């Protein structure tokens, strides 16, 4: 749905595998849900870095011929979603540049909050910028570091940035993964079975597809260097409180991925169970908004005893460019993706479970559709608290004024959605369900407590003008 | 999954709507599950018939510009799946030809069993064939009829063919829908709300998308003529026993469609409940093979009391051409579409529910995948009887020798699949769950009782050589 | 230039060569000037006929992969230009159909004048038409013939048509070439060097590229049958007066082709010399409109003693779709293809030689352009008589009312063109320069003496409505 | 022909025109002969710089829609040819970057000989490189300049580079054109008629197409700044001896362009006349290798009295990707572009005139082809001296060892080509024919006297490794 939050990136790196770029291709394929706008792979044959990136889906971009031109035992890849304004190839990653020490490729999931400030400083001292990615700032800082070893240059650079970053770097002989001290975005470490090969990637589901073993998460503030001498962990940054993105548990991650030691699917079911306790409803059936609402709806059903049904059917053949040609029936919106199953909802009191509400436009259409299919009552249940604040750590969110929960009371939202009742999960309920222990979370989208202080511009509503040139 | 049965077509026709081709576009979009290989729309402005057809998905083929070149108040459309051998544009429909009375467009869902015979006779009397579609035979017969009215020509033609057909015809002033006397393939009648407009289409889900009202099914042997004088029903054929394709209920139709007065979703849940009764299993969890196995798995869970979980996650971003580049991990097959959720199946006794088994190759991989995710036991349950015979009435099925149930005992199949136990629904169980009353079914794929006698060649294993020329 | 006459087709057939479709590809490439809209090749492996056709240029359509799917020792190919209205793939050739005797492929250069009449008769007796090509009529007549041998069926069919046709037919074991009794369109016979292989094609330049030997022209009314028993000539039609298209000499054929025993280049030079005698000019320089006017301009220069220069430069990088975006300088027209060389024309009295004038719009722009580059006087000389009548024998010409010479006197045309003087070649001059002897010519475009009587509709201005359906 | 020298770029800039990007589109179209690999346009609306660049031909890249997204009164454009290794979009121009003062776009024709050295220095001080264009070096130097005005920054930067450059810069309010002090590559100044608008572009033929007036050449070492205050000329560099590329006269420039005050066509004719004097031949006919050899062949004919004929016909329908599919006739090479006119050369003693010989492979095929068409003798005449040295100033030339004249004597070359005699123009003859007066020339490709001293690596045969990363 376009009316949702979008994770901005997924990354995948592998070292020590004879078909590194093939593995990267498969890994990105499994991470496609983290970004569908562009994708790229860079590999190294030990001499040069070769790369290919394009707008589009992984499976559409990479042919056997293109992959055959990406040789070597080390590769990194990236999938990207971005806002419309900067939907351009020049912002696709990995970003590959030449600098003093040779070539380097970088793939970034996250967002820097002081990129604009650093960019200005770098420009003043003579740097040029060819993209509108904050990632370009990191590369400049690496190039300007006076350290010799690439690891030290990277640390030098990252000591100057603030924000969320799960980063992969590749030089002609090294794969380096770094997670910011708060550990805002995920990063997992894995190992190919048998002959070896080390993998660092956003989610464990990418490991499953290539039949690699999930070892553990890269720790907040940890730098992992993989080269001919093995895999080494470093702790080059000052320690900080972990602030893992709680929304990965709610929506972004694939349900078959493991984060914080727990399967995401299980977390979402728990959210649904908790939701049923906090916001019960007297109803005949519980239906999810597919596919993201399914585990929470199952949990709601389990806790409430109300039967679960797939009352909304998803059309899988969306194609590249659905047009809404007609004048007589306007605003298809979600109808082209979902249809209500009359046999399930007609004459019933229906609980509809979704993971979150952003603008509310999609929810309103879904409720209208279920009502049209004959539902007697509709109780909308959300397996997270109201999202009231934009994210500045790597997620594409609307402006605050466009978040319905930021500008409407629950009652007003319920009226807008035309649901009979509307229930959100509580903050306490949310925190009770996500894996706890040493992990603490960033929940700024619900609370406005931004774990990393923002630049002045970013705390406001407007995205700053990062770039004075635009590609069409 | 490529290892499945494929419905060969969906049809959509509308008369009396100012944006007829736009409605046809939306209708075909909702019918995309019935055919993803090619699509086409023909419309008439009252003078000429204009058409556009292409290989690919509906949403990729039709742009606003193309739709704007298809004016008029009447349109018919078609989506097609076909076997590899004849995957060519020349076989896309609607087929539009000029003949004595002007131009006619035809869209066909089904398969004629005496097409080869008729083709030979037509050739002997001087006809030429430009496609390998049996539909072309019907058009020749219409053109050769000595009747004057198009309705009479169509009846003349259809009295000579045997087999399954749900047909739409369009002339410059008429929309005509016909269903064969056995009513093998579905065809539904609907009505646009408000200003009118009559729709005839394969499934009611196409009516939902355009917010049309579902009126009823076109009856077996019925011909519906829609023109300026209204909508008229005719019964031009000798009555025959209804033989509706029972597999529409099991797999082909969308769960939100209504057939035989019942929502398909409900029928499938009933199949799952019956399956639980006939083939119980002592297990911890019931999981479906998504998406087709979901309703039956819910029914199985309901009847057995074993909890339902989404233990297999589907990757929606398949793209056009997934390649399997690598040598080290061969045979990805279903792994690129599905992944098992470790948290759901690990350490569990798992019931896996699917709608049918064709070759068995997909099932085998799914079971391997679930086993690799830690399942302790796997009980494979199929919500239909063993499929032992190919279909000759419009479904693309493998040769008999490739149907695993035709050549292996249940025990052998279970061994091949590596499941712990394997259970199929019984024929009696199947018939007990589908809508009964006046409807009787074609179940030849299970029983070999072909409702319409076959030509000699077709009863054998080999598909006859229908065409001496091939397009690449 | 769009303001010109367009030859509608080129054909190429080869029998007995191990890479028949590769040879057809090369042959069509050399015939590309005869049609740039679509191209197709059909080959036979002795069992089936396989074909591929597409819109576009030969070199863009055929990849190695596509050619590899066109196996066999016999192949025919076709390039097509057509009027906008019927620019569609369904009209691309070869046309391949199945009929009583198996499959047949046909490639046609020419136009039938009684196609409409025959179509109506065929429709009345039950035929259907799927294209708007008159060629489809021929195939129907072949299929309806009661003769047994394909040669006899072809003769049967062609005895019923009137008009211009140079035809190639291919069955699974034969290549057959036929030229209509008047021999209106060209057809040449050639032979591969060494191991053999017989070629029949529109122009000898196609033989040059594949290093085949030019043997002779196929005679008017001759049918050449090539099969395993050799190459045999037949004369199945009543003899008729030869009426070879005189415009092939003036414009259509490539200058390096041989027709009537003479190199076209030499004929065009002779036309230029004759033009200099008939319409002398006192001038400083002779320049051609490239490329078609070059030989005639050289002849004019030779006969007049006025130096020849390339005063107009042609831009070869036209690309597929030149747009004329701007508002300030409208009507680029020929300027995007040609530019005047100031150094050649400035301050000079210039003779500009072109092969013909159709609408006059291009000539007007060329003269304006040369004038703007500083020419003192411009004497426009045309190496053919005024074209006053449309062609109905296979050339795409404007309606009579759009031919400037049909509606304006020479003086008025000169005024319109804004040339200082305008001179055309005389009919006598033209006939004196083309190869004479037994050949006589169709010069209907100059005289209106149509060599084959027209159907009523065609003699009028309007092209008849051949087809009631249109593809977009 | 692939066996030739390729000019690497053409540039076009316009300021003060309401349809600046449309004008740039047309200008680039007229400069397409200077580069067919990629093209780009950047425009400014006074706030931002917007750009679009793609691989391919100008007319294929720019649609009306794309041009409409390039608003503003100022635009610059670029066409590029480059060697295979760096045929990538990242090297397409204009290069648009953000730096301290805002955004800047740059378009470059030429080549810097100390780019590698400067790149290394820049990298040492922290710069990153994202392309393999030497142009990127210039942008870095501009960004690092401590001057305030963009003009001063540009001068600062260019004072550090050595080599050939005709450069256009665009900021949000200025168009700046600069030609290196030696004036190696061309650059012309023009003016739109009427309402104004200043144009700076590689060749005057781009002015002709948009009906702009040719004013004069930009002088070596001149910087022209166009902004709201008018057009101002600056001389910021130390004066140097002019070294205009003599090969522009011989081959690169379009014959209708004016350079050094003389029409290129006239210069080439003079070269042909001189050639006839220096290397006469007793022959029956003079034919050019089209199209580049035409003016020189006309000059040769004029001086020798031997008649000029178009004995080689060029096939204009090359398409994008001609394949040479067949095994029996290998190595089509030039045959797919040219065919000999038998009627012109058969039985004749033929002088063939071409502008230059690079590897000799094309010439050899042409001579073989003319011989096969029946020529009795072939006298190959080249309107330039033997090319023995690669160019390092912006032309894509083979390595020295691949230049046939560098490794073979004239006699050996004649034997290789299989011509009867071979004649080159003398250096003196060449210099006598090009426009003289104050202009002096770079003739390093003939003499090895490189006008700008080379870096060590470049003087050798090997192109240095400029970039450690490669895009596929």
């Amino acid at each position: 749905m376009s009316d949702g939050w979008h994770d901005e990136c997924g990354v995948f790196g592998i070292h020590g595998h004879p078909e590194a770029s093939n593995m990267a291709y498969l890994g990105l394929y499994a991470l496609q849900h983290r970004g569908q706008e562009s994708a790229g792979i860079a590999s190294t044959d030990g001499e040069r870095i070769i790369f290919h990136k394009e707008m589009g889906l992984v499976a559409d971009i990479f042919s056997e011929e293109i992959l055959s031109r990406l040789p070597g035992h080390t590769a990194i890849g990236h999938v990207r979603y971005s806002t419309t304004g900067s939907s351009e190839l020049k912002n696709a990653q990995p970003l590959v540049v030449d600098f003093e020490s040779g070539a380097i490729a970088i793939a970034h999931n996250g967002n820097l909050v002081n990129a604009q400030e650093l960019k200005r400083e770098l420009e003043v001292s003579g740097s040029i910028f060819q993209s509108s990615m904050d990632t370009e700032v990191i590369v400049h800082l690496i190039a300007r570091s006076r350290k010799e070893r690439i690891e030290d240059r990277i640390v030098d650079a990252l000591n100057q940035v603030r924000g969320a970053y799960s980063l992969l770097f590749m030089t002609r002989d090294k794969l380096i993964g770094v997670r910011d001290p708060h550990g805002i975005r995920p990063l997992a470490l894995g190992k190919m079975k048998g002959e070896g090969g080390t993998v660092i990637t956003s989610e464990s589901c990418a490991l499953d597809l290539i039949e690699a073993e999930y070892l553990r998460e890269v720790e907040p503030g940890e730098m992992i260097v993989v080269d001919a001498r093995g895999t080494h962990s470093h702790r080059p940054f000052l320690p900080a409180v972990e602030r893992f993105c709680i929304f990965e548990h709610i929506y972004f991650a694939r349900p078959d991925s493991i984060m914080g030691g727990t399967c995401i699917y299980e977390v979402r079911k728990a959210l649904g169970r908790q939701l049923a306790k906090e916001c019960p409803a007297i109803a005949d059936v519980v239906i999810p908004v597919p596919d993201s609402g399914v585990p929470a709806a199952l949990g709601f059903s389990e806790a409430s005893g109300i039967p679960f049904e797939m009352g909304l059917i998803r059309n899988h053949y969306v194609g590249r460019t659905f047009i809404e040609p007609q004048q007589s029936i306007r605003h298809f919106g979600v109808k082209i993706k979902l249809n209500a199953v009359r046999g399930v909802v007609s004459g019933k009191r229906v609980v509809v479970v979704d993971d979150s509400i952003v603008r509310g436009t999609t929810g309103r259409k879904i409720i209208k559709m279920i009502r049209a299919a004959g539902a007697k009552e509709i109780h909308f249940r959300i397996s997270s608290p109201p999202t009231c604040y934009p994210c500045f750590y790597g997620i594409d969110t609307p402006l605050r004024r466009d978040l319905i929960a930021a500008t409407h009371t629950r009652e007003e939202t319920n009226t807008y959605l035309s649901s009979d009742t509307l229930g959100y999960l509580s903050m306490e309920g949310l925190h009770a369900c996500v894996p706890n222990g040493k992990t603490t979370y960033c929940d700024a989208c619900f609370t406005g407590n931004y774990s990393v202080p923002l630049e002045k511009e970013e705390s406001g509503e407007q995205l700053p003008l990062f770039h004075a040139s635009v590609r069409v």
Side-chain angles (χ1 to χ4, degrees), chain A:
Chain A
M1 319 290 140
S2 64
D3 175 27
W5 286 26
H6 298 279
D7 205 348
E8 286 197 308
C9 300
V11 300
F12 180 96
I14 186 164
H15 179 279
H17 191 283
E19 295 178 62
S21 60
N22 284 343
M23 291 298 126
Y25 165 72
L26 291 164
L28 294 183
Y29 182 81
L31 297 173
Q32 187 81 78
H33 62 290
R34 296 186 77 82
Q36 300 95 49
E37 187 182 274
S38 66
I41 295 173
S43 73
T44 180
D45 56 6
E47 288 294 318
R48 316 185 98 191
I49 291 177
I50 306 101
F51 63 103
H52 183 86
K53 46 193 188 183
E54 253 180 62
M55 306 304 287
L57 295 179
V58 174
D60 292 331
I61 292 171
F62 292 98
S63 62
E64 279 198 74
E65 196 214 337
I66 287 171
L67 287 171
S68 74
R69 283 185 267 139
L70 295 166
H73 288 239
T74 309
I76 67 172
H78 190 269
V79 290
R80 175 183 169 85
Y81 177 87
S82 78
T83 57
T84 315
S86 54
S87 268
E88 344 172 2
L89 187 53
K90 78 174 180 187
N91 287 337
Q93 295 200 3
L95 177 59
V96 183
V97 308
D98 283 3
F99 74 114
E100 193 183 1
S101 316
I104 189 166
I106 178 170
H108 179 202
N109 179 22
N111 192 55
L112 308 182
V113 298
N114 64 337
Q116 191 58 23
E117 203 175 298
L118 291 168
K119 190 194 173 196
R120 261 184 236 114
E121 287 168 19
L122 285 161
E123 284 182 352
V124 167
S125 66
S127 290
I128 61 173
F129 284 79
Q130 300 193 34
S131 78
S132 50
M133 295 182 285
D134 56 358
T135 313
E136 198 175 350
V137 169
I138 299 175
V139 183
H140 277 288
L141 295 173
I142 290 171
R144 283 173 175 265
S145 167
R146 297 277 52 98
K147 299 290 168 56
E148 197 157 319
R149 291 196 320 157
I150 184 65
E151 295 91 319
D152 299 329
R153 283 176 176 263
I154 290 170
V155 172
D156 242 22
L158 296 180
N159 271 326
Q160 297 171 69
V161 307
R162 288 200 323 277
Y165 50 83
S166 284
L167 285 162
L168 295 180
F169 299 93
M170 182 179 69
T171 63
R172 56 181 206 161
D173 52 9
K174 281 177 182 158
L175 170 68
I176 298 171
V178 189
R179 207 166 158 212
D180 68 72
H182 295 292
I184 296 176
R185 305 251 62 90
L187 200 63
L189 183 66
K191 207 174 129 350
M192 293 302 291
K193 286 166 193 164
E195 88 266 43
T198 301
V199 182
I200 309 175
T201 184
S202 296
E203 290 188 32
S204 67
C205 65
L207 300 169
D208 291 346
L209 183 55
I210 59 168
E211 298 183 355
E213 193 186 344
Y214 169 72
L215 296 177
R216 64 171 175 89
E217 276 157 51
V218 177
E219 297 290 317
E222 186 179 8
M223 167 187 272
I224 293 183
V225 180
V226 193
D227 59 17
R229 290 166 307 173
T231 300
H232 296 277
S233 169
H234 303 269
R235 295 288 184 159
F237 306 112
L238 287 178
V241 182
E242 178 165 6
R243 291 288 184 203
F244 182 61
C245 170
I246 205 162
F247 226 89
E248 291 279 352
H249 283 295
I250 296 166
Y251 171 74
F252 299 137
R254 247 173 63 169
D256 49 335
S257 285
I258 288 164
M259 288 185 180
T262 308
C263 178
I264 295 288
Y265 181 94
E266 291 301 315
V267 175
R268 291 186 189 161
K269 269 198 74 178
L271 295 173
R273 281 190 301 258
Q274 180 70 20
L275 182 61
K277 280 178 222 156
E278 296 185 10
C279 311
I282 296 166
D284 304 306
V285 67
V286 175
I287 71 171
V289 175
D291 288 342
S292 60
V294 170
L298 282 165
F300 195 104
S301 165
E302 191 180 306
S304 65
I306 305 169
F308 170 93
E309 301 283 357
M310 288 295 282
L312 290 164
I313 294 300
R314 185 168 164 167
N315 184 342
H316 292 300
Y317 305 103
V318 176
R320 300 214 179 166
T321 47
F322 185 85
I323 50 167
E324 300 192 6
Q326 49 156 31
Q327 296 155 4
S328 34
I329 306 177
R330 280 194 185 280
H331 307 310
F332 271 73
V334 77
K335 279 198 67 168
I336 64 159
K337 292 205 185 156
L338 296 178
N339 192 22
V341 182
R342 188 169 290 268
V344 169
V345 301
S346 180
K348 304 275 180 59
R349 295 166 299 178
V350 181
V351 173
V352 181
V353 179
D354 204 355
D355 55 83
S356 58
I357 300 180
V358 181
R359 286 185 175 83
T361 48
T362 299
R364 181 185 164 97
K365 279 174 193 152
I366 287 171
I367 287 164
K368 186 163 171 251
M369 184 193 300
I370 296 168
R371 190 90 67 191
K376 224 160 58 185
E377 292 176 15
I378 299 173
H379 304 279
F380 205 26
R381 294 296 177 269
I382 306 303
S383 63
S384 66
T387 47
C388 299
Y389 299 89
C391 176
F392 298 108
Y393 308 132
I395 308 300
D396 173 40
T397 46
L399 298 181
R400 181 145 202 254
R401 64 167 171 266
D402 294 328
L403 295 168
I404 191 167
T407 52
H408 293 67
T409 65
R410 180 176 314 195
E411 199 43 53
E412 288 166 352
T413 305
N414 188 42
T415 304
Y416 173 78
L417 295 169
S418 80
S419 35
D420 291 286
T421 69
L422 168 65
Y424 291 98
L425 190 64
S426 68
M427 277 306 297
E428 299 68 36
L430 170 59
H431 279 284
C433 296
V434 293
N436 281 289
K438 62 179 181 109
T439 311
T440 50
Y441 291 92
C442 175
D443 55 12
C445 50
F446 305 119
T447 62
N449 299 330
Y450 290 104
S451 44
V452 183
L454 306 176
E455 279 192 272
K456 214 171 96 236
E457 294 91 337
E458 296 210 338
S459 59
E461 279 289 299
Q462 263 329 91
L463 284 174
L465 182 72
F466 191 80
H467 214 61
S469 59
V470 182
R471 183 170 196 154
V472 296

